[in-house]
Amino acid sequence: MAVPAKRARVSGGSPVAAPCPSPRAARTSLPLPEGPSGGEPEGDAVAGFLRWCTQVGLELSPKVTVSRQGTVAGYGMVARESVQPGELLFAVPRSALLSPHTCSISGLLERERGALQSLSGWVPLLLALLHELQAPASPWSPYFALWPDLGRLEHPMFWPEEERLRLLKGTGVPEAVEKDLVNIRSEYYSIVLPFMEAHSDLFSTTVRSLELYRQLVAIVMAYSFQEPLEEDDDEKEPNSPLMDYLRMVATQPILEGHEIFNTYGQMANWQLIHMYGFAEPYPNNTDDTADIQMVTVRDAALQGTKDESEKLLLCERWDFLCKQEMVGEEGAFVIGREEVLTEEELATTLKVLCMPAEEFRDYKERAGQGEEETEDDSLAVTNIPKLRESWKRLLRDSVLLTLQTYATDLKTEQDLISNKEVYAELSWREQQALQVRYGQKMILHQLLELTS
């Protein structure tokens, strides 16, 4: 699917489903599933999973345990005694990872690889999951027993459209979800369903469902990981022990009784809620960002034109920036709490849109001759107050237009978050969406102060 990433969460490769406790970000709270999706009592599910771990050669440190006690949501990993950085938490044999290469129809998926190509690249894994889920004797059945209830996933793609638009308007999430839903539907009906129907002996009618496919896409988004691409496969030594196991080690001290978390990486709250169904409460997510759509900066600049000739000149500048691949109709400038993640693009856009007409002609000519710019237009957040007045004015106008895309203002959000009793009465989705909106607006309002 079209997974958004302002910063890469993982490097290259294909996603695989890891038979280990579900990863979660620290300092978050997820809704508790009612029980194992397989219907087993909790103790039986965990015991069965741990027996399976032993059978497949999964090495689990004696210092940790899998439990629902002492975790923020569902099943997790808890330290039975203190763990030091560098200590092995668990190691999973490659053969135990559920992937297109290890599933029981791996040969078929490999033979049909050409027909299973898609924009997402996830079709082979999703077909592997669909096949193994229906197989009573699947080697991964104990792992599936610890999955959350597929009917209760909290990704925004499962929210009613009205609720999604009402709660997340302006955040960028509804647009990302809509693209996902279109891609999922197209992928399912054009590739997945025809494949299952062509191999009806391998796929029962119970798994030929668009809704189930959407649910598995969400599982892959939230619970899989991607292995890095091997750049030097020819030089790799055979049977390298590092490539035989997926190892998880502690990166910081973990106290006895504390839950152990697998970080999601540097992701903004809108990305977390889109891919995982939750957001971190403000101000915990130091990697949070706010987007200013590139076309919004163009619209803000157009507001300042006085006549048709100025509008034509501004459109010429915008077209020039598009050809230079600095802007695009669907692109966004990404602002963090302490840095502009798209610093070069935003600085160049402000410079080109604000420079005098004669200067632009010279600038455009130099670019046409391939001459590189040496001027330093640093756009670190701390330097924004030092920018030229015309730059600050355009940036401020762009922020004001961006704030108009939200359904509520910052004061309304602050009142909700600061009143614990009122906040507690909000639904889970309302709380998570509020954290997404509030974090973005705080960044945007900081920009307003810096450009005043």
Side-chain angles (χ1 to χ4, degrees):
M1 304 312 111
V3 177
K6 295 304 187 301
R7 292 168 167 169
R9 175 169 69 100
V10 287
S11 56
S14 301
V16 295
C20 56
S22 306
R24 299 181 182 91
R27 305 180 305 281
T28 62
S29 176
L30 293 171
L32 292 174
E34 294 176 353
S37 57
E40 290 185 82
E42 176 185 336
D44 292 346
V46 173
F49 174 73
L50 293 177
R51 284 195 302 271
W52 176 80
C53 289
T54 301
Q55 292 168 2
V56 300
L58 188 151
E59 301 173 14
L60 190 65
S61 167
K63 292 188 175 183
V64 304
T65 185
V66 178
S67 173
R68 290 186 69 177
Q69 302 299 318
T71 64
V72 295
Y75 296 105
M77 181 174 285
V78 178
R80 302 171 68 174
E81 53 184 279
S82 296
V83 177
Q84 299 304 313
E87 287 193 58
L88 179 70
L89 299 171
F90 61 86
V92 186
R94 300 274 156 168
S95 59
L97 298 176
L98 204 175
S99 78
H101 307 294
T102 59
C103 69
S104 58
I105 57 170
S106 58
L108 174 62
L109 294 177
E110 177 60 27
R111 289 193 301 273
E112 300 288 337
R113 181 173 54 178
L116 301 179
Q117 292 182 354
S118 67
L119 289 176
S120 73
W122 293 3
V123 167
L125 174 59
L126 290 162
L127 283 169
L129 287 172
L130 285 165
H131 177 74
E132 297 298 334
L133 276 174
Q134 62 168 13
S138 171
W140 289 276
S141 292
Y143 166 53
F144 296 146
L146 296 191
W147 271 18
D149 183 348
L150 295 182
R152 300 182 69 240
L153 296 173
E154 280 294 342
H155 297 67
M157 75 166 70
F158 302 112
W159 300 9
E161 182 178 9
E162 178 278 328
E163 186 176 24
R164 187 165 61 239
L165 293 174
R166 174 170 52 85
L167 296 179
L168 293 168
K169 185 176 183 290
T171 66
V173 176
E175 293 79 5
V177 169
E178 187 58 35
K179 287 182 181 179
D180 283 347
L181 293 175
V182 170
N183 291 338
I184 290 170
R185 184 179 181 84
S186 173
E187 190 172 88
Y188 177 76
Y189 283 113
S190 65
I191 303 175
V192 176
L193 183 59
F195 182 86
M196 290 193 292
E197 290 177 338
H199 301 282
S200 57
D201 56 321
L202 298 174
F203 297 91
S204 70
T205 56
T206 61
V207 295
R208 297 183 217 168
S209 158
L210 175 61
E211 182 60 20
L212 176 59
Y213 190 72
R214 287 173 55 201
Q215 293 166 348
L216 292 185
V217 167
I219 287 289
V220 171
M221 289 175 71
Y223 291 90
S224 70
F225 67 93
Q226 286 179 284
E227 298 186 88
L229 293 171
E230 293 295 326
E231 296 181 359
D232 299 312
D233 276 340
D234 294 339
E235 301 178 9
K236 186 178 64 176
E237 295 183 10
N239 299 321
S240 170
L242 289 178
M243 293 306 297
D244 291 340
Y245 280 82
L246 166 70
R247 288 176 166 81
M248 187 72 73
V249 299
T251 60
Q252 63 187 53
I254 305 170
L255 298 178
E256 178 183 350
H258 283 214
E259 185 174 6
I260 300 169
F261 298 102
N262 177 24
T263 179
Y264 288 125
Q266 296 174 306
M267 301 187 75
N269 263 354
W270 81 268
Q271 293 170 300
L272 288 175
I273 198 170
H274 173 221
M275 296 181 67
Y276 304 104
F278 72 91
E280 291 199 74
Y282 187 86
N284 291 353
N285 190 350
T286 56
D287 295 307
D288 208 4
T289 62
D291 286 1
I292 298 176
Q293 297 300 313
M294 291 176 172
V295 293
T296 299
V297 178
R298 180 194 62 192
D299 293 343
L302 282 170
Q303 286 183 352
T305 57
K306 300 175 183 176
D307 51 41
E308 193 63 28
S309 62
E310 287 191 3
K311 288 183 180 180
L312 290 173
L313 179 57
L314 191 135
C315 290
E316 180 186 353
R317 297 177 188 217
W318 181 260
D319 291 341
F320 168 76
L321 289 168
C322 288
K323 291 177 182 177
Q324 296 296 310
E325 297 185 347
M326 286 292 168
V327 298
E329 293 298 315
E330 295 186 359
F333 300 115
V334 186
I335 318 297
R337 291 191 191 175
E338 298 180 357
E339 61 178 331
V340 178
L341 277 64
T342 52
E343 179 178 3
E344 179 186 2
E345 291 85 351
L346 182 54
T348 302
T349 299
L350 294 175
K351 176 171 64 176
V352 169
L353 295 184
C354 293
M355 62 177 48
E358 185 175 341
E359 184 180 343
F360 171 65
R361 285 194 292 270
D362 293 340
Y363 183 85
K364 185 177 180 180
E365 184 177 344
R366 290 197 305 273
Q369 296 173 353
E371 295 183 20
E372 294 185 3
E373 288 293 310
T374 57
E375 184 179 356
D376 180 21
D377 292 310
S378 176
L379 206 62
V381 168
T382 53
N383 289 338
I384 287 178
K386 304 173 186 176
L387 295 178
R388 303 170 193 178
E389 287 303 318
S390 59
W391 291 30
K392 288 195 293 184
R393 183 167 57 251
L394 177 54
L395 184 55
R396 180 179 177 82
D397 290 344
S398 302
V399 171
L400 290 171
L401 285 179
T402 300
L403 287 169
Q404 291 177 16
T405 64
Y406 295 91
T408 55
D409 58 20
L410 182 64
K411 175 71 166 55
T412 302
E413 317 281 55
Q414 286 175 328
D415 290 343
L416 287 173
I417 286 182
S418 60
N419 190 322
K420 293 183 179 180
E421 292 182 0
V422 173
Y423 183 80
E425 292 177 356
L426 298 176
S427 69
W428 164 262
R429 293 174 180 177
E430 288 172 333
Q431 290 178 355
Q432 303 312 297
L434 174 58
Q435 295 294 346
V436 175
R437 300 193 308 265
Y438 185 69
Q440 291 183 352
K441 291 177 185 177
M442 288 295 287
I443 292 173
L444 293 171
H445 276 268
Q446 179 189 25
L447 272 184
L448 285 184
E449 294 177 5
L450 293 171
T451 54
S452 296

